[in-house]
Coordinates of all heavy atoms in Angstrom, one line a residue:
E150 N 36.5 44.4 -1.6 CA 37.1 45.8 -1.6 C 36.1 46.7 -2.0 O 36.1 48.0 -1.6 CB 38.3 45.7 -2.6 CG 39.5 44.9 -2.3 CD 40.6 44.9 -3.2 OE1 40.3 45.4 -4.4 OE2 41.6 44.3 -3.0
L151 N 35.1 46.3 -2.9 CA 34.1 47.3 -3.4 C 33.1 47.7 -2.3 O 32.7 48.8 -2.1 CB 33.3 46.7 -4.5 CG 32.2 47.5 -5.2 CD1 32.9 48.8 -5.8 CD2 31.4 46.7 -6.2
L152 N 32.8 46.6 -1.4 CA 32.0 46.9 -0.2 C 32.7 47.9 0.7 O 32.0 48.7 1.4 CB 31.7 45.6 0.5 CG 30.6 44.8 -0.3 CD1 30.3 43.5 0.5 CD2 29.3 45.6 -0.5
V153 N 34.0 47.8 0.8 CA 34.7 48.6 1.8 C 34.8 50.1 1.3 O 34.7 51.1 1.9 CB 36.2 48.0 2.1 CG1 37.0 49.1 2.9 CG2 36.1 46.7 2.8
R154 N 35.1 50.1 -0.1 CA 35.3 51.5 -0.7 C 34.0 52.2 -1.1 O 34.0 53.5 -1.2 CB 36.2 51.4 -1.9 CG 37.7 50.9 -1.6 CD 38.5 50.7 -2.9 NE 38.7 52.0 -3.5 CZ 39.3 52.1 -4.7 NH1 39.8 51.0 -5.3 NH2 39.5 53.3 -5.2
A155 N 32.9 51.4 -1.3 CA 31.7 52.0 -1.7 C 30.5 51.3 -0.8 O 29.7 50.5 -1.3 CB 31.4 51.8 -3.1
P156 N 30.6 51.5 0.6 CA 29.6 50.9 1.4 C 28.2 51.5 1.2 O 28.0 52.5 0.8 CB 30.1 51.1 2.8 CG 30.9 52.5 2.6 CD 31.4 52.5 1.2
L157 N 27.2 50.6 1.6 CA 25.9 51.1 1.6 C 25.7 52.2 2.8 O 26.2 51.8 3.9 CB 24.9 50.0 1.7 CG 24.9 49.0 0.7 CD1 23.9 47.8 0.9 CD2 24.5 49.6 -0.7
L158 N 24.9 53.2 2.6 CA 24.7 54.1 3.6 C 23.5 53.5 4.6 O 22.9 52.6 4.2 CB 24.2 55.4 3.0 CG 25.2 56.2 2.0 CD1 24.6 57.3 1.5 CD2 26.5 56.5 2.9
P159 N 23.5 54.0 5.7 CA 22.5 53.5 6.7 C 21.1 53.8 6.2 O 20.8 54.8 5.7 CB 22.7 54.4 7.9 CG 24.2 54.9 7.9 CD 24.4 55.0 6.5
G160 N 20.4 52.6 6.1 CA 19.0 52.6 5.6 C 19.0 52.3 4.0 O 17.9 52.2 3.5
E161 N 20.2 52.4 3.3 CA 20.1 52.2 1.9 C 20.0 50.6 1.7 O 20.7 49.8 2.3 CB 21.4 52.7 1.3 CG 21.4 52.5 -0.2 CD 22.8 53.2 -0.7 OE1 23.6 53.4 0.1 OE2 23.0 53.1 -2.0
E162 N 19.2 50.4 0.7 CA 19.0 49.0 0.2 C 19.8 48.6 -1.0 O 19.9 49.5 -1.9 CB 17.5 48.7 0.0 CG 16.6 48.8 1.2 CD 16.9 47.7 2.1 OE1 17.3 46.6 1.7 OE2 16.5 47.9 3.4
P163 N 20.3 47.4 -1.2 CA 21.2 47.2 -2.4 C 20.1 47.2 -3.5 O 19.0 46.6 -3.6 CB 21.5 45.6 -2.2 CG 21.4 45.3 -0.7 CD 20.3 46.3 -0.2
T164 N 20.5 47.8 -4.5 CA 19.6 48.0 -5.7 C 20.0 47.1 -6.9 O 19.2 47.0 -7.9 CB 19.7 49.5 -6.2 OG1 21.0 49.9 -6.6 CG2 19.2 50.4 -5.0
G165 N 21.2 46.5 -6.8 CA 21.7 45.7 -7.9 C 22.0 46.5 -9.2 O 21.8 46.0 -10.3
A166 N 22.4 47.8 -8.9 CA 22.8 48.6 -10.1 C 24.0 48.0 -10.8 O 24.8 47.5 -10.3 CB 23.2 50.0 -9.6
R167 N 23.9 48.2 -12.1 CA 24.9 47.6 -13.0 C 26.2 48.5 -13.2 O 27.1 48.1 -13.7 CB 24.3 47.3 -14.3 CG 23.2 46.3 -14.3 CD 22.5 46.0 -15.7 NE 23.5 45.4 -16.6 CZ 23.7 44.0 -16.7 NH1 23.0 43.3 -15.9 NH2 24.6 43.5 -17.5
L168 N 26.0 49.7 -12.7 CA 27.2 50.7 -12.8 C 27.4 51.3 -11.4 O 26.6 51.8 -10.7 CB 26.7 51.9 -13.8 CG 27.9 52.9 -14.0 CD1 29.1 52.3 -14.6 CD2 27.3 54.1 -14.8
V169 N 28.7 51.2 -11.0 CA 29.1 51.5 -9.7 C 30.3 52.5 -9.9 O 31.2 52.1 -10.6 CB 29.5 50.4 -8.8 CG1 30.0 50.9 -7.4 CG2 28.3 49.4 -8.7
A170 N 30.1 53.7 -9.3 CA 31.2 54.7 -9.4 C 32.0 54.6 -8.1 O 31.5 54.5 -7.0 CB 30.7 56.1 -9.5
L171 N 33.4 54.6 -8.3 CA 34.3 54.4 -7.2 C 35.2 55.5 -7.1 O 35.8 56.0 -8.3 CB 35.0 53.0 -7.4 CG 35.6 52.4 -6.1 CD1 34.6 52.1 -5.1 CD2 36.4 51.1 -6.6
E172 N 35.5 56.1 -6.0 CA 36.4 57.1 -5.9 C 37.8 56.7 -6.3 O 38.3 55.7 -5.7 CB 36.4 57.7 -4.5 CG 37.3 59.0 -4.2 CD 36.7 60.2 -5.0 OE1 35.5 60.3 -5.1 OE2 37.4 61.1 -5.4
G173 N 38.5 57.4 -7.1 CA 39.9 56.9 -7.6 C 40.6 58.0 -8.4 O 39.8 58.7 -9.2
E174 N 41.8 58.2 -8.3 CA 42.5 59.2 -9.0 C 43.0 58.8 -10.3 O 43.5 59.5 -11.1 CB 43.7 59.7 -8.2 CG 43.4 60.3 -6.8 CD 44.5 60.8 -6.1 OE1 45.7 60.4 -6.5 OE2 44.4 61.3 -4.9
R175 N 42.9 57.4 -10.6 CA 43.4 56.8 -12.0 C 42.1 56.5 -12.7 O 41.3 55.7 -12.1 CB 44.3 55.7 -11.7 CG 44.9 55.1 -12.9 CD 45.8 54.0 -12.4 NE 46.3 53.3 -13.6 CZ 47.2 52.3 -13.4 NH1 47.6 51.8 -12.3 NH2 47.7 51.8 -14.6
P176 N 42.0 56.8 -14.0 CA 40.9 56.4 -14.8 C 41.0 54.8 -15.0 O 42.0 54.3 -15.4 CB 41.2 57.1 -16.1 CG 42.0 58.3 -15.8 CD 43.0 57.8 -14.7
D177 N 40.0 54.3 -14.7 CA 39.9 52.8 -14.8 C 38.4 52.3 -14.8 O 37.6 52.9 -14.4 CB 40.7 52.1 -13.6 CG 41.0 50.7 -13.9 OD1 40.8 50.2 -15.2 OD2 41.7 50.1 -13.1
A178 N 38.2 51.2 -15.4 CA 36.9 50.6 -15.4 C 37.1 49.1 -15.6 O 38.0 48.6 -16.3 CB 36.1 51.1 -16.6
W179 N 36.3 48.3 -14.9 CA 36.4 46.8 -15.0 C 35.0 46.2 -14.8 O 34.2 46.9 -14.1 CB 37.4 46.3 -14.2 CG 37.1 46.4 -12.7 CD1 36.5 45.5 -11.9 CD2 37.6 47.5 -11.9 NE1 36.3 46.0 -10.7 CE2 37.0 47.3 -10.6 CE3 38.3 48.7 -12.1 CZ2 37.3 48.0 -9.4 CZ3 38.5 49.5 -11.0 CH2 38.0 49.2 -9.7
W180 N 34.8 45.0 -15.4 CA 33.6 44.3 -15.2 C 33.7 43.3 -14.1 O 34.7 42.5 -14.1 CB 33.2 43.5 -16.5 CG 31.9 42.9 -16.5 CD1 31.6 41.6 -16.3 CD2 30.6 43.5 -16.6 NE1 30.3 41.3 -16.3 CE2 29.6 42.6 -16.6 CE3 30.2 44.8 -17.0 CZ2 28.3 42.8 -16.8 CZ3 28.9 45.1 -17.1 CH2 27.9 44.1 -17.0
L181 N 32.8 43.3 -13.2 CA 32.9 42.5 -12.0 C 31.7 41.5 -12.1 O 30.5 41.8 -12.0 CB 32.6 43.2 -10.7 CG 32.9 42.5 -9.5 CD1 34.3 42.1 -9.4 CD2 32.6 43.5 -8.2
P182 N 32.0 40.3 -12.5 CA 31.0 39.2 -12.8 C 30.4 38.7 -11.4 O 31.0 39.0 -10.4 CB 31.7 38.1 -13.5 CG 33.1 38.2 -13.2 CD 33.3 39.7 -12.9
G183 N 29.3 37.9 -11.6 CA 28.8 37.3 -10.4 C 27.2 37.3 -10.7 O 26.7 37.4 -11.7
A184 N 26.5 37.1 -9.5 CA 25.0 37.0 -9.6 C 24.4 38.3 -10.0 O 23.4 38.3 -10.8 CB 24.5 36.5 -8.2
T185 N 25.1 39.4 -9.6 CA 24.7 40.8 -10.0 C 25.9 41.5 -10.6 O 26.6 42.2 -10.0 CB 24.1 41.6 -8.8 OG1 25.0 41.6 -7.9 CG2 22.8 41.0 -8.3
P186 N 26.1 41.1 -11.9 CA 27.3 41.7 -12.6 C 27.3 43.2 -12.6 O 26.1 43.8 -12.8 CB 27.3 41.1 -14.0 CG 25.9 40.6 -14.2 CD 25.3 40.3 -12.8
R187 N 28.5 43.8 -12.5 CA 28.5 45.4 -12.4 C 29.7 45.8 -13.2 O 30.7 45.1 -13.2 CB 28.6 45.8 -11.0 CG 27.4 45.4 -10.2 CD 27.7 45.9 -8.7 NE 26.5 45.5 -7.8 CZ 26.4 45.8 -6.5 NH1 27.5 46.4 -6.0 NH2 25.3 45.6 -5.8
L188 N 29.5 46.9 -13.7 CA 30.7 47.7 -14.3 C 31.1 48.7 -13.3 O 30.3 49.6 -12.8 CB 30.2 48.4 -15.6 CG 31.3 49.3 -16.2 CD1 32.5 48.5 -16.6 CD2 30.8 50.1 -17.3
V189 N 32.4 48.5 -12.7 CA 32.9 49.5 -11.7 C 33.8 50.5 -12.5 O 34.7 50.1 -13.3 CB 33.7 48.7 -10.8 CG1 34.3 49.6 -9.6 CG2 32.9 47.7 -10.1
I190 N 33.6 51.7 -12.2 CA 34.3 52.8 -13.0 C 34.7 53.9 -11.9 O 34.0 54.1 -11.0 CB 33.5 53.4 -14.0 CG1 34.3 54.4 -14.9 CG2 32.2 54.1 -13.6 CD1 33.7 54.7 -16.2
T191 N 35.9 54.3 -12.1 CA 36.4 55.3 -11.1 C 35.9 56.7 -11.4 O 35.5 57.0 -12.6 CB 38.0 55.3 -11.0 OG1 38.5 55.7 -12.3 CG2 38.6 53.9 -10.7
T192 N 35.9 57.6 -10.5 CA 35.5 59.0 -10.7 C 36.4 59.7 -11.7 O 36.1 60.6 -12.4 CB 35.4 59.8 -9.4 OG1 36.7 59.6 -8.6 CG2 34.4 59.1 -8.5
A193 N 37.7 59.3 -11.6 CA 38.7 59.9 -12.6 C 38.3 59.6 -14.0 O 38.3 60.4 -14.9 CB 40.1 59.4 -12.3
A194 N 37.8 58.3 -14.3 CA 37.3 57.9 -15.6 C 36.0 58.7 -16.0 O 35.9 59.2 -17.2 CB 37.1 56.5 -15.6
L195 N 35.1 58.9 -15.0 CA 33.9 59.7 -15.2 C 34.3 61.1 -15.6 O 33.6 61.7 -16.5 CB 33.0 59.6 -14.0 CG 32.4 58.3 -13.7 CD1 31.7 58.4 -12.4 CD2 31.4 57.8 -14.8
R196 N 35.3 61.7 -15.1 CA 35.7 63.1 -15.3 C 36.2 63.1 -16.7 O 36.1 64.2 -17.4 CB 36.5 63.6 -14.3 CG 35.9 63.9 -13.0 CD 36.9 64.8 -12.1 NE 38.0 64.0 -11.8 CZ 38.2 63.3 -10.6 NH1 37.1 63.2 -9.8 NH2 39.3 62.6 -10.4
R197 N 36.9 62.1 -17.2 CA 37.7 62.1 -18.4 C 36.8 61.7 -19.6 O 36.9 62.3 -20.7 CB 38.8 61.2 -18.3 CG 39.7 61.1 -19.6 CD 41.1 60.6 -19.3 NE 41.9 61.3 -18.4 CZ 43.1 61.2 -18.1 NH1 43.7 60.1 -18.5 NH2 43.7 62.0 -17.3
L198 N 35.9 60.8 -19.4 CA 35.2 60.2 -20.5 C 34.1 61.1 -20.9 O 33.3 61.7 -19.9 CB 34.6 58.8 -20.2 CG 35.6 57.7 -20.0 CD1 34.9 56.4 -19.6 CD2 36.5 57.4 -21.2
K199 N 33.9 61.4 -22.1 CA 33.0 62.5 -22.6 C 31.8 61.8 -23.3 O 32.1 61.0 -24.1 CB 33.7 63.6 -23.4 CG 34.9 64.3 -22.7 CD 34.4 65.2 -21.6 CE 35.5 66.0 -21.1 NZ 36.6 65.3 -20.5
G200 N 30.6 62.4 -23.1 CA 29.5 62.0 -23.9 C 29.3 60.5 -23.9 O 29.0 59.8 -22.8
R201 N 29.2 59.9 -25.1 CA 28.9 58.5 -25.2 C 30.0 57.5 -25.1 O 29.9 56.4 -25.2 CB 28.4 58.2 -26.7 CG 26.9 58.8 -26.8 CD 26.6 59.2 -28.3 NE 26.6 58.0 -29.2 CZ 25.7 57.2 -29.5 NH1 24.4 57.4 -29.0 NH2 25.7 56.2 -30.3
Q202 N 31.2 58.1 -24.6 CA 32.4 57.2 -24.3 C 32.1 56.3 -23.3 O 32.7 55.1 -23.3 CB 33.6 58.1 -24.1 CG 34.0 59.0 -25.3 CD 35.2 59.9 -25.0 OE1 35.8 59.7 -24.0 NE2 35.4 60.9 -25.8
L203 N 31.4 56.8 -22.2 CA 31.1 56.0 -21.1 C 30.2 54.8 -21.6 O 30.3 53.7 -21.1 CB 30.4 56.7 -19.9 CG 30.0 55.9 -18.8 CD1 31.1 55.2 -18.1 CD2 29.2 56.8 -17.7
D204 N 29.3 55.1 -22.4 CA 28.4 54.0 -22.9 C 29.2 53.0 -23.7 O 28.9 51.9 -23.8 CB 27.3 54.6 -23.9 CG 26.4 55.5 -23.1 OD1 26.2 55.2 -22.0 OD2 25.9 56.5 -23.7
A205 N 30.2 53.5 -24.5 CA 31.1 52.5 -25.2 C 31.8 51.7 -24.3 O 32.0 50.5 -24.6 CB 32.0 53.4 -26.2
V206 N 32.4 52.1 -23.2 CA 33.1 51.4 -22.2 C 32.1 50.3 -21.7 O 32.4 49.1 -21.5 CB 33.6 52.2 -21.2 CG1 34.2 51.3 -19.9 CG2 34.8 53.1 -21.7
L207 N 30.9 50.7 -21.3 CA 29.8 49.7 -20.8 C 29.6 48.7 -21.8 O 29.5 47.6 -21.6 CB 28.6 50.5 -20.4 CG 27.6 49.7 -19.8 CD1 27.9 48.9 -18.5 CD2 26.3 50.6 -19.6
A208 N 29.4 49.1 -23.1 CA 29.1 48.1 -24.2 C 30.3 47.1 -24.3 O 30.1 46.0 -24.6 CB 28.8 48.8 -25.4
H209 N 31.6 47.6 -24.3 CA 32.7 46.7 -24.4 C 32.7 45.7 -23.4 O 32.9 44.5 -23.6 CB 33.9 47.7 -24.3 CG 35.3 46.9 -24.4 ND1 36.0 46.7 -25.5 CD2 35.9 46.1 -23.4 CE1 37.1 45.9 -25.2 NE2 37.0 45.7 -23.9
E210 N 32.5 46.1 -22.0 CA 32.5 45.1 -21.0 C 31.4 44.2 -21.0 O 31.4 43.0 -20.7 CB 32.6 45.9 -19.6 CG 33.8 46.7 -19.4 CD 35.1 45.8 -19.4 OE1 35.0 44.7 -19.2 OE2 36.1 46.6 -19.7
Q211 N 30.1 44.7 -21.4 CA 29.1 43.8 -21.6 C 29.2 42.8 -22.7 O 28.8 41.7 -22.7 CB 27.8 44.7 -21.9 CG 27.2 45.3 -20.7 CD 26.0 46.3 -21.1 OE1 25.9 46.7 -22.2 NE2 25.2 46.5 -20.0
G212 N 30.0 43.2 -23.8 CA 30.4 42.2 -24.8 C 31.2 41.1 -24.3 O 30.9 39.9 -24.7
H213 N 32.1 41.4 -23.4 CA 32.8 40.3 -22.8 C 32.0 39.4 -22.0 O 31.9 38.1 -22.1 CB 33.9 40.9 -21.8 CG 35.1 41.4 -22.4 ND1 35.8 40.8 -23.6 CD2 35.7 42.7 -22.3 CE1 36.8 41.6 -23.8 NE2 36.9 42.7 -23.1
A214 N 31.0 40.0 -21.3 CA 30.1 39.1 -20.4 C 29.2 38.3 -21.3 O 29.0 37.1 -21.0 CB 29.4 40.0 -19.4
Q215 N 28.6 38.9 -22.3 CA 27.6 38.2 -23.0 C 28.3 37.0 -23.9 O 27.7 36.0 -23.9 CB 26.9 39.1 -24.1 CG 26.1 40.1 -23.4 CD 25.5 41.3 -24.3 OE1 25.8 41.2 -25.5 NE2 24.9 42.2 -23.8
A216 N 29.5 37.2 -24.3 CA 30.1 36.1 -25.1 C 31.0 35.1 -24.2 O 31.5 34.2 -24.8 CB 31.1 36.8 -26.1
R217 N 30.9 35.4 -22.9 CA 31.4 34.5 -21.9 C 33.0 34.4 -22.3 O 33.5 33.3 -22.3 CB 30.8 33.1 -22.0 CG 29.3 33.1 -21.6 CD 29.0 33.9 -20.3 NE 29.7 33.4 -19.2 CZ 29.2 32.4 -18.3 NH1 28.1 31.9 -18.5 NH2 30.0 32.1 -17.3
H218 N 33.6 35.4 -22.6 CA 35.0 35.4 -22.8 C 35.9 35.0 -21.6 O 36.9 34.5 -21.8 CB 35.5 36.9 -23.2 CG 35.0 37.3 -24.5 ND1 35.0 38.6 -25.0 CD2 34.5 36.5 -25.6 CE1 34.5 38.6 -26.2 NE2 34.2 37.4 -26.7
D219 N 35.2 35.1 -20.4 CA 36.1 34.7 -19.3 C 36.4 33.1 -19.2 O 37.4 32.7 -19.0 CB 35.3 35.1 -17.9 CG 33.7 34.4 -18.0 OD1 33.3 34.3 -19.0 OD2 33.3 34.2 -16.9
W220 N 35.5 32.4 -19.8 CA 35.6 30.9 -19.9 C 36.8 30.6 -21.0 O 37.6 29.7 -20.9 CB 34.4 30.2 -20.2 CG 33.6 29.9 -19.0 CD1 32.4 30.5 -18.7 CD2 33.8 29.0 -18.0 NE1 32.0 30.1 -17.4 CE2 32.9 29.1 -17.0 CE3 34.8 28.0 -17.9 CZ2 32.8 28.3 -15.8 CZ3 34.8 27.2 -16.7 CH2 33.8 27.4 -15.6
L221 N 36.7 31.4 -22.1 CA 37.9 31.2 -23.0 C 39.3 31.4 -22.4 O 40.2 30.7 -22.6 CB 37.6 32.1 -24.3 CG 36.6 31.7 -25.2 CD1 36.4 32.8 -26.4 CD2 36.9 30.3 -25.9
L222 N 39.3 32.6 -21.6 CA 40.5 32.9 -21.0 C 40.9 31.9 -20.0 O 42.1 31.5 -19.9 CB 40.4 34.3 -20.4 CG 40.0 35.4 -21.4 CD1 40.1 36.8 -20.6 CD2 41.3 35.5 -22.4
H223 N 39.9 31.4 -19.3 CA 40.2 30.3 -18.2 C 40.8 29.1 -18.9 O 41.8 28.6 -18.4 CB 38.9 29.8 -17.5 CG 38.5 31.0 -16.5 ND1 39.2 32.0 -16.0 CD2 37.2 31.3 -16.2 CE1 38.5 32.8 -15.3 NE2 37.3 32.3 -15.4
C224 N 40.1 28.6 -20.0 CA 40.6 27.4 -20.6 C 41.9 27.6 -21.2 O 42.8 26.6 -21.2 CB 39.6 27.0 -21.7 SG 37.9 26.4 -21.0
S225 N 42.2 28.7 -21.9 CA 43.4 28.9 -22.5 C 44.6 29.1 -21.5 O 45.7 28.5 -21.7 CB 43.4 30.1 -23.5 OG 43.1 31.3 -22.7
A226 N 44.3 29.7 -20.4 CA 45.4 29.8 -19.3 C 45.6 28.5 -18.7 O 46.7 28.3 -18.4 CB 44.9 30.9 -18.2
A227 N 44.6 27.6 -18.5 CA 44.8 26.3 -18.0 C 45.7 25.4 -18.8 O 46.6 24.9 -18.3 CB 43.5 25.7 -17.7
L228 N 45.4 25.4 -20.1 CA 46.2 24.8 -21.0 C 47.7 25.2 -21.0 O 48.6 24.5 -21.1 CB 45.6 24.7 -22.4 CG 44.3 23.9 -22.5 CD1 43.7 24.1 -23.9 CD2 44.6 22.4 -22.3
A229 N 47.9 26.6 -21.3 CA 49.2 27.1 -21.3 C 50.0 26.9 -20.0 O 51.1 26.6 -20.0 CB 49.1 28.5 -21.6
G230 N 49.2 27.0 -18.9 CA 49.9 26.8 -17.6 C 50.2 25.4 -17.3 O 51.2 25.1 -16.6

Side-chain angles (χ1 to χ4, degrees):
E150 293 175 356
L151 184 61
L152 288 176
V153 172
R154 297 179 63 184
L157 294 175
L158 298 176
E161 183 182 2
E162 295 293 335
T164 60
R167 299 177 67 86
L168 181 63
V169 179
L171 199 63
E172 186 69 30
E174 299 179 356
R175 181 177 180 178
D177 202 0
W179 64 90
W180 186 260
L181 193 60
T185 55
R187 297 175 177 179
L188 174 65
V189 183
I190 189 165
T191 62
T192 52
L195 289 175
R196 289 191 295 268
R197 179 165 296 180
L198 297 177
K199 302 293 190 297
R201 288 155 59 94
Q202 295 174 16
L203 178 60
D204 295 327
V206 172
L207 179 60
H209 175 98
E210 297 298 338
Q211 286 178 335
H213 284 312
Q215 291 171 3
R217 303 307 304 267
H218 287 161
D219 54 335
W220 278 104
L221 283 178
L222 298 179
H223 292 333
C224 293
S225 61
L228 289 172

